[in-house]
Amino acid sequence: MFLFDDERLLEIGEAIGQSLQSRMAAIIYAMSVQSQHVHVVLGDTPASLGSVVKCVKDAARWHLRAGRPIWGEGYDKRFCYDETSLRARIKYVERHNVRMGWARRPWKFITPPFRPR
């Protein structure tokens, strides 16, 4: 199993976020990078989910120069069709960052979809 080095999680997140923005024109509402997985909440995009996932995986692998596959097969996807579910998903992802001792939105590219309550 490939694990991301805890000291590099923020820089890996930066690489993933920059790639999503430049290659997919993605609007990123929330993101968390953990040693074994990544959570990303994106705004509506014309790109296919498979293309978005490939972008995330390629960005991390390229940034790390791992020289070997670092991801397993498949991924979990959840669509948010209303404000309540979107807020819940964002909160879930942000909670991972807080547990790491980071800000809820540790990268500048994260764009909250709502004004704070």
Side-chain angles (χ1 to χ4, degrees), residues 2 4 8 57-71:
F2 188 95
F4 294 144
R8 298 189 71 191
K57 291 179 175 187
D58 287 351
R61 198 176 79 206
W62 183 87
H63 181 76
L64 292 170
R65 309 264 196 283
R68 72 181 199 68
I70 62 174
W71 301 99

Side-chain angles (χ1 to χ4, degrees), residues 1-2 10 12 15 22 28 33 46-49 53 68 74-77 83 87 99 106 110 112 114 117:
M1 178 188 322
F2 188 95
L10 288 170
I12 294 165
S22 65
I28 304 165
V33 178
S48 71
L49 185 58
V53 171
R68 72 181 199 68
Y75 48 87
D76 181 25
K77 64 179 180 215
E83 183 177 332
R87 283 186 187 277
R99 283 189 200 132
I110 294 176
F114 312 107
R117 286 184 167 177

Side-chain angles (χ1 to χ4, degrees), residues 9-48:
L9 296 177
L10 288 170
E11 74 180 71
I12 294 165
E14 184 69 30
I16 291 169
Q18 294 300 326
S19 186
L20 283 169
Q21 285 188 314
S22 65
R23 291 177 54 197
M24 303 279 120
I27 298 171
I28 304 165
Y29 294 150
M31 186 169 78
S32 181
V33 178
Q34 306 295 298
S35 62
Q36 295 182 29
H37 64 283
V38 175
H39 294 286
V40 183
V41 179
L42 300 178
D44 188 30
T45 176
S48 71

Side-chain angles (χ1 to χ4, degrees), residues 74-93:
Y75 48 87
D76 181 25
K77 64 179 180 215
R78 303 192 185 181
F79 294 98
C80 302
Y81 295 106
D82 58 42
E83 183 177 332
T84 301
S85 64
L86 180 58
R87 283 186 187 277
R89 187 61 43 205
I90 290 169
K91 187 175 180 179
Y92 173 81
V93 172

